[in-house]
Amino acid sequence: GQQVMQIPQYQHVQEGEDFTTYCNSSTTLSNIQWYKQRPGGHPVFLIQLVKSGEVKKQKRLTFQFGEAKKNSSLHITATQTTDVGTYFCAGHYWDTGNQFYFGTGTSLTVIP
Amino acid sequence: NAGVTQTPKFQVLKTGQSMTLQCAQDMNHEYMSWYRQDPGMGLRLIHYSVGAGITDQGEVPNGYNVSRSTTEDFPLRLLSAAPSQTSVYFCASSHGLGGETQYFGPGTRLLVL
């Protein structure tokens, strides 16, 4: 079946440092979504990328979709304690209806 | 709008017991789904529905049943609970069928002893 790999599993950074998480699929995606889950909370939608090579920004967050639509990344500049949580990518494929395949997530800890 | 609601928030079951996890949404979304979340494994799709009366299996459907009699409700039934079903369960809904934004409920934490 389809699978989306995500690395790293954990990341500890000092407040103010940058953070990046990566997702990779062995087959071409139709689109990819990113979610954030705070500790004890539920996943909350951040963004959707659809086009090859797409780059989107939300304040300190930069999202990229690879040219081949097989990989994606989320980069946070100058992390803050409010960025703490687990970041998930969710890949969608053309032949799977509305089914998304979630990566295993990257848990971000920000040390003040 | 309440969005996606789930009940109960917490549940403890004994092995072999059955129960129903409730999920409701008030956004008139066609698509609803159930995920389970286990440490280190992300979210895995259990069952999903593309509209009232239509359901289908996801990645990990064994031990679970669903039905969709209305657009709003999508209950998940555990037929005979097993310790392997200890998990956090999330219900989600989205508008449309082409990979749209998913809105998640607050989750149900289930412990099976």
Side-chain angles (χ1 to χ4, degrees):
Chain A
Q2 306 288 11
Q3 195 171 18
V4 176
M5 306 301 295
Q6 187 172 359
I7 58 168
Q9 189 173 1
Y10 303 97
Q11 187 80 56
H12 292 71
V13 300
Q14 291 286 139
E15 188 172 16
E17 291 183 336
D18 292 356
F19 159 79
T20 306
T21 174
Y22 302 89
C23 281
N24 186 67
S25 170
S26 58
T27 55
T28 303
L29 296 157
S30 69
N31 68 73
I32 193 162
Q33 296 178 349
W34 285 92
Y35 291 80
K36 177 183 179 181
Q37 184 177 23
R38 294 184 185 276
H42 60 275
V44 174
F45 174 81
L46 293 175
I47 210 159
Q48 178 169 294
L49 304 172
V50 179
K51 299 177 183 177
S52 169
E54 189 169 18
V55 178
K56 288 188 175 180
K57 293 190 176 183
Q58 289 179 350
K59 297 182 180 178
R60 293 178 295 104
L61 277 61
T62 302
F63 304 84
Q64 292 188 326
F65 203 9
E67 292 291 340
K69 298 182 71 173
K70 290 184 177 182
N71 56 76
S72 181
S73 65
L74 158 59
H75 179 82
I76 302 178
T77 303
T79 54
Q80 300 175 359
T81 54
T82 54
D83 295 326
V84 165
T86 300
Y87 293 85
F88 292 97
C89 61
H92 180 259
Y93 299 89
W94 293 111
D95 59 350
T96 59
N98 207 38
Q99 188 164 333
F100 276 88
Y101 292 84
F102 278 79
T104 50
T106 297
S107 175
L108 174 63
T109 300
V110 179
I111 304 163
Chain B
N1 285 352
V4 180
T5 58
Q6 291 183 239
T7 56
K9 290 185 179 179
F10 304 96
Q11 184 71 48
V12 179
L13 290 178
K14 294 181 179 178
T15 297
Q17 286 185 315
S18 62
M19 78 159 295
T20 299
L21 280 64
Q22 301 291 345
C23 174
Q25 52 91 11
D26 61 359
M27 298 174 281
N28 202 32
H29 285 169
E30 299 92 336
Y31 183 84
M32 295 185 75
S33 55
W34 277 102
Y35 291 89
R36 60 176 289 172
Q37 184 175 33
D38 303 294
M41 300 192 72
L43 291 106
R44 293 182 292 168
L45 183 65
I46 304 171
H47 285 285
Y48 65 96
S49 169
V50 299
I54 307 170
T55 64
D56 207 345
Q57 297 181 350
E59 278 181 88
V60 289
N62 292 342
Y64 308 94
N65 274 358
V66 291
S67 60
R68 183 98 178 267
S69 57
T70 66
T71 300
E72 294 79 17
D73 300 298
F74 190 43
L76 177 72
R77 297 182 187 83
L78 279 69
L79 308 173
S80 177
S84 60
Q85 294 179 304
T86 293
S87 188
V88 181
Y89 292 85
F90 289 101
C91 177
S93 74
S94 64
H95 175 67
L97 305 175
E100 310 294 335
T101 303
Q102 295 190 81
Y103 297 87
F104 283 82
T108 295
R109 298 179 185 276
L110 177 67
L111 173 63
V112 183
L113 301 174

